[in-house]
């Protein structure tokens, strides 16, 4: 499997604005030119979307220990191949039959390319931004780069798998509404929805609260989540599964 992405920056904040993973037919390797050729036929080549929380990833030859700008990366608006993060490692082992030779788009609730954005102050800023999102007011983070325009979102392929997690608190009402709106618009566009859930919330509660378990976990949940993700993608399109 390979991963490709585009990065952008605004006011010294770095964002991942586009990402795809390629599931190879066998052991072939594609380059950026081949990726762009596939994307020119999006309806045939992109078979679905996986939604995650936010990226912490870097182009090949760079790392996530510091900002890309500090490492000399040029934000030229072009695709580049990405090093694997934990999500990509799981995707490479889990997504196979029924997906080979195709692209899956990776989207995020928040495009900011930074680790550990869960601290409350950052989420408070996101929540405040999303309260202003549909107005003409300025936001702390770039509207186009950090957030999904859910009313005008474009989704290729048959399915959307939500693995965006639920790292926000109950009082982050605008974030929750934003996540719910993404699900509602996905359904409106006629896409098949899939996700993982556990004993804390059933299928309906998970959708209503935008509570979608992330594929990656630590400790005792690490293997449980990974195995559930593999089960979800054991069929095409992926299915809703309960973790065991």
């Amino acid at each position: 499997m390979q991963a490709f992405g585009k990065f952008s920056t605004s006011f010294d904040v770095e964002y991942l604005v586009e990402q795809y993973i390629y599931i190879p037919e066998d052991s072939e390797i594609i380059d950026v030119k081949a990726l762009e050729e596939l994307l020119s036929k999006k309806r045939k080549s992109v078979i679905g979307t996986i939604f995650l929380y936010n990226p912490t990833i870097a182009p090949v030859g760079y790392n996530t220990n510091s900002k890309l700008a500090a490492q000399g990366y040029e934000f030229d608006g072009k695709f580049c191949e990405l090093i694997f993060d934990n999500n990509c490692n799981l995707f490479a082992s889990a997504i196979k039959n029924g997906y080979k030779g195709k692209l899956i788009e990776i989207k995020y609730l928040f495009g900011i390319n930074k680790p550990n954005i869960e601290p409350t102050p950052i989420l408070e800023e996101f929540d405040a931004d999303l309260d202003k999102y549909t107005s003409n007011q300025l936001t702390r983070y770039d509207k186009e780069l950090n957030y999904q325009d859910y009313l005008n979102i474009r989704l290729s392929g048959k399915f959307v798998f939500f693995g965006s997690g639920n790292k926000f608190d109950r009082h982050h009402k605008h974030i929750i509404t934003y996540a719910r709106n993404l699900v509602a618009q996905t359904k409106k566009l006629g896409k098949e929805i899939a996700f993982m859930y556990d004993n804390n919330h059933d299928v309906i509660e998970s959708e209503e609260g935008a509570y979608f378990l992330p594929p990656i976990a630590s400790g005792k949940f690490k293997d449980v989540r990974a195995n559930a993700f593999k089960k979800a993608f054991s069929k095409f399109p992926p299915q809703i599964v309960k973790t065991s």
Side-chain angles (χ1 to χ4, degrees):
M1 194 196 86
Q2 292 173 269
F4 298 88
K6 281 184 183 180
F7 295 88
S8 187
T9 184
S10 177
F11 294 101
D12 200 35
V13 179
E14 298 178 356
Y15 304 91
L16 179 64
V17 294
E18 204 168 351
Q19 182 182 347
Y20 294 91
I21 57 173
Y22 176 69
I23 315 300
E25 286 277 9
D26 189 9
S27 58
E28 86 273 21
I29 296 174
I30 66 170
D31 56 16
V32 170
K33 183 178 179 181
L35 169 73
E36 291 173 341
E37 289 176 357
L38 287 170
L39 289 176
S40 69
K41 305 170 184 176
K42 245 184 175 183
R43 287 191 175 184
K44 293 183 177 181
S45 62
V46 181
I47 57 173
T49 301
I50 297 175
F51 247 104
L52 301 174
Y53 191 68
N54 89 289
T56 305
I57 202 164
V60 171
Y62 299 83
N63 61 65
T64 58
N65 298 327
S66 61
K67 287 187 175 182
L68 295 178
Q71 300 176 58
Y73 180 79
E74 294 184 13
F75 294 87
D76 56 9
K78 297 179 181 179
F79 276 108
C80 55
E81 189 165 359
L82 306 176
I83 59 174
F84 273 24
D85 60 1
N86 289 334
N87 285 303
C88 287
N89 286 326
L90 176 58
F91 298 163
S93 66
I95 305 174
K96 296 177 181 178
N97 296 333
Y99 302 86
K100 292 182 178 181
K102 302 294 184 180
L103 294 167
I104 296 176
E105 186 169 13
I106 310 297
K107 287 184 176 292
Y108 297 88
L109 286 186
F110 309 110
I112 184 172
N113 190 44
K114 183 178 180 179
N116 303 321
I117 66 166
E118 292 79 37
T120 300
I122 297 178
L123 293 186
E124 295 290 353
E125 291 174 339
F126 286 177
D127 202 56
D129 273 1
L130 290 166
D131 185 27
K132 307 171 189 173
Y133 187 81
T134 56
S135 72
N136 293 321
Q137 298 179 67
L138 293 175
T139 52
R140 167 67 177 81
Y141 295 90
D142 192 287
K143 275 186 179 181
E144 293 184 4
L145 302 181
N146 197 49
Y147 307 105
Q148 299 289 338
D149 181 4
Y150 53 85
L151 289 177
N152 298 297
I153 195 168
R154 295 183 178 182
L155 297 169
S156 299
K158 188 173 183 178
F159 70 87
V160 175
F161 181 90
F162 285 96
S164 48
N166 187 17
K167 299 180 182 180
F168 34 84
D169 298 326
R170 291 181 181 178
H171 72 275
H172 293 129
K173 295 180 180 179
H174 301 294
I175 293 177
I176 294 172
T177 298
Y178 164 66
R180 285 173 174 167
N181 285 337
L182 285 169
V183 178
Q185 189 64 14
T186 298
K187 286 185 172 182
K188 188 175 180 180
L189 293 173
K191 306 300 179 183
E192 299 263 0
I193 288 178
F195 54 86
M196 303 184 300
Y197 68 101
D198 57 18
N199 288 327
N200 293 317
H201 304 276
D202 62 22
V203 171
I204 295 175
E205 290 169 340
S206 295
E207 287 194 31
E208 289 179 346
Y211 181 83
F212 304 116
L213 297 176
I216 300 299
S218 58
K220 64 180 181 179
F221 294 112
K222 181 179 179 180
D223 291 340
V224 170
R225 296 277 181 84
N227 290 334
F229 183 84
K230 290 176 182 179
K231 182 178 179 182
F233 275 85
S234 65
K235 297 181 179 179
F236 178 82
Q239 57 189 332
I240 297 173
V241 298
K242 184 177 181 180
T243 60
S244 58

